[in-house]
């Protein structure tokens, strides 16, 4: 973001306030929707974890946090934008990051365990104070006071496994998914209906836990858990009953991995899958459309959307240096365009969560 000098301090302050906010829709007859977004990623040649910011819906990007000791050597794996000022991120070395000024400054938040080997992979924020985080070693953290204090749950319940995804259906009902074991890692699904006071696990029919789970998401009473080899399971009644399913996505071993999944409503879902694939359904998964990205064998790691037309996705080349690409669609995925490319392994993208 460019900075300008002004002769009058008052004008400077006023302009700084203006530049602090994301760009919005120009049409005064529509609901104002801020178009700022953040992207997380692993360190590049500078040695600092990657956090990228756009204030114009992904057209242009600037880097945040370069040179900040909090990001040195940190693989930033997930990011969650509460609003245009408050953003959280998690990553390797058991690092929890937060900004309260739109990313001008990032600080580390004290984690509940002093274990630098822990890789935190997923964050979900119910509101500004109710935060859930999951990661390796069966790590599941919860804070109800904006990260000032944390509860760390029994890691043995989660088999000390890699809890790769976490999602709060309600402030009390939370799902944690991942895998455990050595070479043949099995999927694991844990859930709580009382905010973490007690936990239970879910064993789907047909041995559907035979593959690793990557993430979980929801909209109203519809929940989707997704994972390796294009397999997923869905519930339309808040988790009472489940249907095993899979996508007809190309890739080895039964299909490409579903790396990220968003639900705009109970009917409209987008899935980001290996082999450069993005799939869309407008009927709650009854039928799917494969969208052309022209990314070849690239891994599609992240996706988020403002609405049914406007979305951003993250790709990484499967061969050669880890070039991360930020892609954008403004027509519901009919066309995807690469907006930026970086010499870094980019992971996830987040618009402001509504």
């Amino acid at each position: 973001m460019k900075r300008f000098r002004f002769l009058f301090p008052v004008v400077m302050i006023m302009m700084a306030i203006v530049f602090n906010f994301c760009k919005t829709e120009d049409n005064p007859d529509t609901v104002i929707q801020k178009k700022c977004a953040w992207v997380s990623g692993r360190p590049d040649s500078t040695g600092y974890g990657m956090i990228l910011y756009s204030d114009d819906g992904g057209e242009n990007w600037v880097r945040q946090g370069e040179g900040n000791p909090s990001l040195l050597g940190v693989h930033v794996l997930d990011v969650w934008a509460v609003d245009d000022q408050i953003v959280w991120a998690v990553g390797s070395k058991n690092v929890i990051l937060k900004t309260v000024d739109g990313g001008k400054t990032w600080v580390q938040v004290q984690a509940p365990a002093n274990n630098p080997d822990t890789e935190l992979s997923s964050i979900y924020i119910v509101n500004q104070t109710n935060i859930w985080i999951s990661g390796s070693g069966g790590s599941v953290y919860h804070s109800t006071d904006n990260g000032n204090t944390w509860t760390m749950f029994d890691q043995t319940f989660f088999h000390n496994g890699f809890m790769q995804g976490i999602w709060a259906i309600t402030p009390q009902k939370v799902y944690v998914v991942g895998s455990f074991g050595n070479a043949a890692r099995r999927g694991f699904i844990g859930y709580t209906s009382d905010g973490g006071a007690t936990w239970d696990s879910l064993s789907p029919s047909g041995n559907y836990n035979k593959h690793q789970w990557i993430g979980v998401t929801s909209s109203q009473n519809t929940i989707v858990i997704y994972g390796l080899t294009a397999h997923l399971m869905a519930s339309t009644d808040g988790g009472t009953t489940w249907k095993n399913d899979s996508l007809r996505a190309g890739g080895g071993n039964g299909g490409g991995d579903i790396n990220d999944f968003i639900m705009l409503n109970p009917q409209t879902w987008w899935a980001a899958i290996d082999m450069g694939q993005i799939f869309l359904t407008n009927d709650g998964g009854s039928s799917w459309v494969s969208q052309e990205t022209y990314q070849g064998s690239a891994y599609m790691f992240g996706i988020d959307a403002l609405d049914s037309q406007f979305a951003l996705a993250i790709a990484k080349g499967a061969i050669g240096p880890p070039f991360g690409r930020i892609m954008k669609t403004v027509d519901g995925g009919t066309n995807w365009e690469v907006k930026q490319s970086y010499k870094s392994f980019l992971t996830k993208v987040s618009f402001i969560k509504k």
Side-chain angles (χ1 to χ4, degrees):
M1 185 178 297
K2 295 182 178 178
R3 298 184 180 275
F4 301 90
R5 292 186 177 181
F6 296 94
L7 296 177
F8 302 103
V10 173
V11 177
M12 182 183 295
I13 293 172
M14 292 178 65
M15 293 301 292
I17 292 173
V18 170
F19 288 142
N20 247 353
F21 294 94
C22 305
K23 295 178 181 178
T24 58
E25 296 285 359
D26 296 327
N27 187 348
D29 295 327
T30 62
V31 176
I32 292 177
Q33 188 173 39
K34 295 177 180 178
K35 290 187 175 181
C36 51
W38 279 263
V39 165
S40 57
R42 304 193 179 204
D44 61 359
S45 60
T46 67
Y48 292 89
M50 187 76 74
I51 297 179
L52 303 169
Y53 168 69
S54 172
D55 70 351
D56 59 7
E59 286 296 312
N60 299 281
W61 295 85
V62 295
R63 186 169 184 176
Q64 296 182 335
E66 185 177 356
N68 185 330
S70 296
L71 286 162
L72 183 60
V74 174
H75 296 194
V76 188
L77 299 176
D78 198 13
V79 60
W80 185 283
V82 176
D83 56 34
D84 61 352
Q85 299 296 294
I86 300 173
V87 185
W88 292 75
V90 295
S92 63
K93 299 185 177 182
N94 206 30
V95 166
I96 304 171
L97 297 163
K98 181 183 180 182
T99 180
V100 296
D101 56 13
K104 294 180 180 64
T105 56
W106 286 86
V107 298
Q108 281 195 22
V109 176
Q110 183 65 47
N114 184 21
N115 185 357
D117 293 330
T118 298
E119 184 174 275
L120 302 178
S121 60
S122 184
I123 183 169
Y124 184 95
I125 302 179
V126 183
N127 50 47
Q128 293 190 17
T129 59
N130 195 329
I131 305 163
W132 292 88
I133 294 172
S134 69
S136 65
S139 298
V140 176
Y141 306 157
H142 181 217
S143 175
T144 59
D145 59 6
N146 201 31
N148 293 313
T149 61
W150 296 88
T151 297
M152 181 176 177
F153 299 100
D154 180 10
Q155 292 171 283
T156 61
F157 171 78
F158 301 101
H159 298 276
N160 298 307
F162 184 22
M163 297 300 103
Q164 199 165 349
I166 194 165
W167 193 272
I169 313 301
T170 69
Q172 298 300 311
K173 180 180 284 188
V174 181
Y175 278 77
V176 181
V177 303
S179 61
F180 66 95
N182 295 318
R185 298 179 66 85
R186 287 190 57 80
F188 174 84
I189 303 169
Y191 67 94
T192 177
S193 298
D194 51 21
T198 59
W199 290 88
D200 202 349
S201 60
L202 177 63
S203 297
S205 63
N207 192 28
Y208 230 51
N209 268 342
K210 63 183 177 181
H211 299 296
Q212 300 178 41
W213 296 111
I214 292 175
V216 54
T217 188
S218 73
S219 177
Q220 300 177 30
N221 284 326
T222 300
I223 310 168
V224 171
I225 298 172
Y226 54 93
L228 266 61
T229 62
H231 81 301
L232 58 91
M233 49 188 289
S235 172
T236 59
D237 53 15
T240 301
T241 60
W242 292 88
K243 176 185 176 182
N244 297 341
D245 204 350
S246 63
L247 294 174
R248 295 182 180 275
N253 299 318
D257 300 341
I258 306 175
N259 297 306
D260 204 4
F261 200 107
I262 58 170
M263 304 176 71
L264 299 181
N265 54 57
Q267 299 299 313
T268 303
W269 315 341
W270 256 311
I273 311 173
D274 289 344
M275 303 297 293
Q277 301 172 96
I278 293 178
F279 275 59
L280 171 70
T281 178
N282 288 305
D283 54 15
S286 295
S287 61
W288 291 85
V289 175
S290 176
Q291 299 186 335
E292 181 59 68
T293 67
Y294 298 101
Q295 295 304 300
S297 61
Y299 302 108
M300 304 301 299
F301 276 107
I303 190 167
D304 202 4
L306 283 177
D307 53 41
S308 61
Q309 300 298 305
F310 198 117
L312 296 174
I314 303 299
K316 172 194 170 290
I319 302 174
F323 284 93
R325 306 158 198 162
I326 303 175
M327 305 179 64
K328 178 178 178 179
T329 182
V330 294
D331 56 13
T334 301
N335 296 284
W336 288 90
E337 179 183 2
V338 175
K339 306 307 295 188
Q340 289 285 353
S341 180
Y342 293 89
K343 293 181 179 180
S344 176
F345 182 161
L346 302 181
T347 52
K348 291 292 186 287
V349 57
S350 175
F351 284 111
I352 293 173
K353 303 302 182 184
K354 299 176 185 178

